Amino acid sequence: MEDKRVLEGISPEKLFYFFEELTRIPRGSGNEQAVSDYLVTFAKKRNLKVRQDDANNVVIWQEGTTGYEDHAPVIIQGHMDMVCVKDEDCSIDLEKDSLDLCVNGDEIYAKGTSLGGDDGIAVAMALAIMDDDTIPHPPLEVIVTTDEEVGMTGASKLDVAGIEGRALLNIDSEDEGVLTAGCAGGMRVDHVLDVRRENSTGYSYRIIVDGLKGGHSGVEIDKGRGNAVVLLGRFLQELIAHFEESFCVQLINYKGGEKDNAIPLLASADILVQIKDKEKQRGQLEANNDAITSELSAYADEYTRILKNEYALTDCNVSLRVEAINDDSASDVMAVCAEDTQVIADIIVAMPNGIQCMSAAIPGLPETSLNLGILELKDDALYFSQSLRSAVASKKDALFNKISTIAKLAGARTSSRGAYPAWEFKKDSPLREVVTAKYKELFGSEMKVDIIHAGLECGLLSEKLPGLDAISIGPDLSDIHTTSEKLHIESTKRTFELVKAVLASM
Ligand SMILES: [Zn+2]
């Protein structure tokens, strides 16, 4: 493997050496055995105490350097897994292959795939410090977790026996110059609504909502963007009411969203439309596909105008349309009965969504929010999942109760999973003082202290390590979790300087 290194010559040499090593080990969430073993081997080779726990988290202990032997230990923490995504035409197998690392000026990226700078850079920094005996530091406890990107399950199962440090540097932020000092807690909520299907005859149409921007359900929930699944449910409910006299509407399928922590940008539903007998007798509507199509399309156009007005500033390309699925005669389909179709529309409309409350403590910060991220109508039930976040634990519980109650009234069952605690902002944080002071001393500007509306492992670790003083920092990383992910070299250099300066003064 001693072929030419792409990052050779970029300093700090050791930091970028280990970063490149990590890009050669496939490490998507759930596929961390190899990288976990790599960390254990790293420690054993250097005679460092190491533990790999049942969840494959790795903890490495290193003694303090000369003069620092008696100081309190400091924890350096990051996650070893990454979000693996690739371009359609990319031939790399992310389960097996190395990434195709490239450098362009100040940017490091991986051709055709995500880079894993989130959070490989944290791991590389920890390894570079432990590998270099010229860097002064107190006793170190390096915690590298698994499965951060899929619900932080590694951190939640972390074996903390023997971890004595109560000052924790989490290096999983993407904005140099911003120090994160708190984050919201959250959970995933799943609902199941049983539905009855029946063999029905009618014309089939597809309703499509698209043209939305979507985004992250935590950090972008305050942008006021439309949720395709929710907008489609709202349209369906109004469509049923609007055509009540003429049509009977039954859902065939309904689907939208891919992740519960992403705002859905696309949703579609197939419906079966039957002309009501009364209407047929009055002869006001020809019972044919063309007539129904033009009625529905006109209504959809009108609705698109309403949405374009509502979302003029956030999702100006929003579009809602109705298309005939087959343009011949009426056909037989197993469709959800009209009554249950109504319940589906009602439950989506009744569910709260988006920002529920802004923080009174920090202007501009969302405090409690909800995102309906995935919905799918299967044969005999409707399934949908939400991501719920709140900076206040009791408000998280209250919102869970509220949405469970709405679900119960509609006849649905609710469960939750993957709950993680909020990381509450501490008024007094000696570590925050040190980091912000060192940043100012080194770079001449003030670090911004922030609380974010997204999950970080610091919440789980604070729960496991009572009295923990944690902060989160990191170098500039852009477009994480996408194939455009870029790590910025100069910013990485500065962040590494900062980490070293903080360690030297602890
Ligand atoms: Zn991360």
Side-chain angles (χ1 to χ4, degrees):
M1 282 282 271
E2 282 313 306
D3 45 333
K4 173 100 177 86
R5 291 191 168 260
V6 177
L7 304 182
E8 205 171 310
I10 303 178
S11 80
E13 284 277 352
K14 276 200 171 137
L15 173 59
F16 286 109
Y17 168 82
F18 285 114
F19 186 73
E20 184 156 5
E21 284 276 285
L22 291 165
T23 65
R24 295 176 173 196
I25 308 170
R27 47 183 237 278
S29 307
N31 182 31
E32 296 119 326
Q33 190 65 53
V35 66
S36 181
D37 290 346
Y38 173 87
L39 297 173
V40 171
T41 307
F42 169 93
K44 285 189 171 159
K45 269 190 186 163
R46 290 159 184 82
N47 286 317
L48 300 174
K49 183 183 157 196
V50 59
R51 178 174 64 231
Q52 184 176 47
D53 66 20
D54 294 342
N56 267 335
N57 298 301
V58 174
V59 182
I60 304 173
W61 286 263
Q62 187 174 46
E63 284 170 12
T65 54
T66 313
Y68 287 86
E69 297 94 334
D70 307 334
H71 290 212
V74 171
I75 303 171
I76 301 178
Q77 192 261 323
H79 59 91
M80 66 181 89
D81 62 314
M82 63 178 273
V83 171
C84 284
V85 286
K86 62 175 190 170
D87 290 334
E88 231 150 82
D89 59 355
C90 170
S91 62
I92 288 176
D93 181 348
L94 287 163
E95 301 254 311
K96 296 192 188 99
D97 301 338
S98 302
L99 304 180
D100 187 359
L101 211 53
C102 299
V103 180
N104 178 15
D106 181 52
E107 296 170 351
I108 299 173
Y109 64 99
K111 202 172 158 202
T113 68
S114 44
L115 172 69
D118 170 16
D119 193 22
I121 198 61
V123 184
M125 282 191 189
L127 298 185
I129 291 165
M130 287 189 288
D131 191 53
D132 187 340
D133 34 298
T134 68
I135 299 174
H137 60 73
L140 294 178
E141 298 176 330
V142 171
I143 301 177
V144 188
T145 53
T146 51
D147 292 342
E148 191 273 345
E149 302 286 5
V150 288
M152 302 190 280
T153 49
S156 71
K157 293 178 194 157
L158 178 72
D159 178 356
V160 295
I163 298 175
E164 282 165 10
R166 287 299 180 269
L168 181 143
L169 281 168
N170 166 288
I171 309 177
D172 191 18
S173 292
E174 293 91 35
D175 234 337
E176 190 202 336
V178 176
L179 178 147
T180 301
C183 74
M187 61 165 83
R188 311 287 157 101
V189 184
D190 301 309
H191 306 277
V192 183
L193 174 74
D194 293 328
V195 296
R196 294 159 294 177
R197 288 195 184 246
E198 59 193 22
N199 198 13
S200 312
T201 310
Y203 297 100
S204 304
Y205 301 89
R206 179 159 298 159
I207 310 169
I208 300 159
V209 176
D210 62 9
L212 294 159
K213 285 207 189 91
H216 187 272
S217 73
V219 292
E220 284 168 318
I221 200 74
D222 59 344
K223 301 230 172 6
R225 293 178 188 162
N227 178 315
V229 171
V230 173
L231 292 178
L232 201 156
R234 177 178 145 193
F235 175 73
L236 180 67
Q237 192 195 50
E238 294 190 30
L239 176 107
I240 294 170
H242 183 81
F243 291 103
E244 201 188 358
E245 299 285 306
S246 334
F247 303 148
C248 169
V249 177
Q250 291 177 260
L251 271 169
I252 303 167
N253 57 49
Y254 183 175
K255 194 172 169 21
E258 289 179 350
K259 285 179 168 182
D260 44 20
N261 63 357
I263 301 166
L265 28 89
L266 171 76
S268 71
D270 292 351
I271 54 170
L272 187 81
V273 174
Q274 290 172 291
I275 305 282
K276 285 197 172 164
D277 287 347
K278 221 180 1 174
E279 198 67 18
K280 265 188 217 162
Q281 284 158 10
R282 278 191 293 187
Q284 289 179 347
L285 254 172
E286 282 288 313
N288 70 52
N289 201 359
D290 287 347
I292 303 172
T293 306
S294 66
E295 285 269 328
L296 294 178
S297 295
Y299 188 65
D301 288 348
E302 196 185 310
Y303 215 84
T304 299
R305 276 193 293 277
I306 293 170
L307 295 181
K308 278 198 186 294
N309 174 55
E310 286 181 19
Y311 292 96
L313 299 176
T314 55
D315 290 285
C316 57
N317 295 319
V318 60
S319 154
L320 188 151
R321 56 196 182 277
V322 178
E323 296 166 354
I325 292 178
N326 38 14
D327 41 25
D328 40 21
S329 55
S331 53
D332 290 353
V333 188
M334 284 299 286
V336 174
C337 69
E339 210 178 299
D340 289 353
T341 296
Q342 182 72 56
V343 176
I344 290 174
D346 291 350
I347 193 172
I348 301 303
V349 168
M351 274 293 166
N353 194 67
I355 297 270
Q356 301 300 303
C357 181
M358 295 297 282
S359 167
I362 294 152
L365 177 78
E367 181 215 77
T368 306
S369 75
L370 192 62
N371 177 61
L372 200 174
I374 311 175
L375 176 143
E376 188 172 8
L377 175 58
K378 295 192 180 164
D379 277 350
D380 52 4
L382 175 80
Y383 296 82
F384 63 100
S385 303
Q386 294 155 316
S387 164
L388 192 168
R389 300 172 197 268
S390 182
V392 181
S394 57
K395 287 201 167 180
K396 183 174 84 174
D397 297 341
L399 182 55
F400 177 73
N401 285 342
K402 179 176 185 164
I403 59 183
S404 306
T405 305
I406 293 168
K408 191 172 76 180
L409 290 171
R413 301 181 297 281
T414 302
S415 58
S416 71
R417 65 194 150 99
Y420 55 91
W423 168 28
E424 289 188 11
F425 179 81
K426 278 193 173 162
K427 250 188 99 210
D428 300 309
S429 161
L431 181 60
R432 190 170 72 226
E433 299 304 321
V434 170
V435 177
T436 49
K438 284 290 158 198
Y439 187 86
K440 186 157 190 202
E441 193 181 307
L442 286 169
F443 312 120
S445 54
E446 295 288 348
M447 228 181 172
K448 182 178 178 238
V449 175
D450 208 1
I451 297 178
I452 59 169
H453 194 60
L456 275 172
E457 292 169 305
C458 300
L460 283 163
L461 297 171
S462 298
E463 216 178 41
K464 283 177 174 275
L465 301 168
L468 188 72
D469 182 12
I471 60 111
S472 178
I473 53 170
D476 288 341
L477 272 164
S478 21
D479 301 308
I480 58 162
H481 303 184
T482 76
T483 58
S484 313
E485 181 183 357
K486 289 176 278 294
L487 173 68
H488 297 266
I489 295 170
E490 287 304 317
S491 174
T492 303
K493 239 180 234 184
R494 286 190 296 269
T495 304
F496 194 54
E497 284 307 308
L498 177 63
V499 170
K500 287 195 296 183
V502 168
L503 290 177
S505 63
M506 294 292 286

